Amino acid sequence: MPGKRERIRMYPERVSAPAQTMWTADEIAQLCYEHYGSSLPKKGKPEPNHEWTLLAAVVKIQSPADQACDTHDKPLQVTKEVVSMGTGTKCIGQSKMRKSGGDASIIPMLEFEDQPCCPVIRDWANNPSVEASSNLEAPGYERKCEDLGSPVTKKVKLEPGTAAKEVTNGAAHPHSLRKQEGDPISPGINSYNLTVEELAAVTRIAPDNAKVIDVYRTGAKCVPGEAGDSGKPGAAFHQVGLLRVKPGRGDRTRSMSCSDKMARWNVLGCQGALLMHFLEEPIYLSAVVIGKCPYSQEAMQRALIGRCQNLSALPKGFGVQELKILQSDLLFEQSRCAVQAKRADSPGRLVPCGAAISWSAVPEQPLDVTAGGFPQGTTKKTIGSLQARSQISKVELFRSFQKLLNRIARDKWPDSLRVQKLDTYQEYKEAASSYQEAWGTLRKQAFGSWIRNPPDYHQFK
């Protein structure tokens, strides 16, 4: 109907029965390991036989059914593509956080949050009357086949098969995802993918099967307001299911643990608040693949899904997803476990790599190598300058969002951005009403002790 404001429909991908047979955990892990070796530079990677790191990635999978509209004369096949990848082992301490929003944060999910801006910019800004496909590829980006001739502004909704479907953590070492949720895992629980020697290296389990009283511990600290760990000997030391902050040596962090953040993404989506202005529904991961390491399916299920499964009264489009959780039998070659096994009796101490790499399949500045939250090589003199900003810092992501707005006529903006005058990063986030409502519900019903940064950390423009 002329004059009626419509919305672009881009449907979030969810796991269906056929989709579950399109790939295996090993295929996803191998794809990510190969991408790490071939597409990421040497700069920022661990020093051989001396350092180790963690690896995480977002993988997009497109099924033959999803491609049918795009490929009239090409053979149909399942396509798997790494669209975002990151490495790193360290978090910014609370005392080093900057109110200007200039330090780096979550890798690779902040890279992923930046990705949808590319197709949105091309289709909405350049031709708002045409439906956007949320294909995250930079080259070869094409519109869907539907004939949509309406000249009105539309709102984005992810189409089947175009959103990222898997995130894989290829780090095989004690601090894998379920660890930071505080799960003590008994020796041998689903750890069959490791040899006895490998298991001993990461768990201190004696090869002769001698009883080990003190098992897995996490350095992640319980947030204020949580019940806290019991501190009892052995497996009873930790209490499971608690919110935690990532560990920091000396300077405590305000960064929530990996499993806490992923549990939040499984309800709110991984796109963040800003992009919800352009989306009808959140972007959800459909599966998580864990690399070869001691592993508990029960702990992963509880950490990422179980803690939020009783949520109710969420806004339309939001909900707890039936996330598929799998483990690969392939070991990441620069994980702590792998490096420890290779170096044997090599001199010197095995240490975590101090640098972090973030890579994203975007046309401009796809690579970012940081140390201490700043681009590697930053000096004290340049801190505070544009050159000292990480590409995945909040302020830079906000700049990308502002560039998108500048390319769209104000009368074509989504209603959520036009109803009031917005100025700061915080104001733009708060204006995403459905996202904020869902986030409020999640905090009220499940994550009441979640640490939130003071508002003055989000007042930059």
Side-chain angles (χ1 to χ4, degrees), residues 19 38 70 139 162 205 212 214 273 337 395 410 422 428 453:
S38 62
D70 295 327
T162 58
I205 298 173
V212 179
D214 200 0
C337 179
V395 67
R410 186 175 291 269
L422 304 172
Y428 276 95
N453 291 326

Side-chain angles (χ1 to χ4, degrees), residues 167-307:
V167 57
T168 174
N169 184 332
H173 71 103
H175 297 288
S176 54
L177 293 177
R178 85 258 174 229
K179 284 292 295 142
Q180 295 189 357
E181 186 244 347
D183 277 336
I185 175 173
S186 301
I189 293 182
N190 290 346
S191 58
Y192 52 84
N193 282 339
L194 293 183
T195 65
V196 174
E197 290 76 14
E198 290 171 336
L199 192 58
V202 296
T203 64
R204 298 192 183 94
I205 298 173
D208 60 358
N209 293 322
K211 184 178 181 180
V212 179
I213 296 177
D214 200 0
V215 293
Y216 270 125
R217 296 286 179 88
T218 177
K221 311 299 183 184
C222 298
V223 303
E226 291 288 291
D229 293 318
S230 69
K232 295 178 180 179
F237 183 92
H238 288 303
Q239 181 172 332
V240 301
L242 304 181
L243 291 174
R244 297 175 182 270
V245 292
K246 293 179 180 178
R249 291 184 179 273
D251 189 10
R252 188 163 181 169
T253 76
R254 295 182 63 86
S255 181
M256 301 299 293
S257 73
C258 294
S259 56
D260 292 339
K261 288 178 178 177
M262 295 190 70
R264 170 179 166 171
W265 293 331
N266 198 45
V267 177
L268 304 183
C270 54
Q271 74 293 318
L274 293 182
L275 288 181
M276 275 307 299
H277 288 292
F278 294 96
L279 300 173
E280 276 197 346
E281 294 182 357
I283 302 173
Y284 291 109
L285 300 174
S286 64
V288 172
V289 176
I290 307 298
K292 184 177 182 180
C293 62
Y295 176 80
S296 168
Q297 182 73 23
E298 178 186 0
M300 287 294 299
Q301 195 78 17
R302 177 178 61 247
L304 304 189
I305 304 172
R307 293 185 291 170

Side-chain angles (χ1 to χ4, degrees), residues 83-133:
V83 295
S84 183
M85 176 169 283
T87 71
T89 64
K90 300 181 183 294
C91 298
I92 300 292
Q94 181 174 345
S95 66
K96 295 181 180 179
M97 293 176 59
R98 301 177 65 84
K99 295 181 179 179
S100 62
D103 42 63
S105 188
I106 311 162
I107 299 174
M109 293 312 298
L110 280 182
E111 283 283 5
F112 174 68
E113 287 179 16
D114 193 34
Q115 291 227 17
C117 279
C118 291
V120 169
I121 285 174
R122 281 193 291 273
D123 276 86
W124 196 329
N126 297 334
N127 190 353
S129 66
V130 181
E131 177 167 5
S133 156

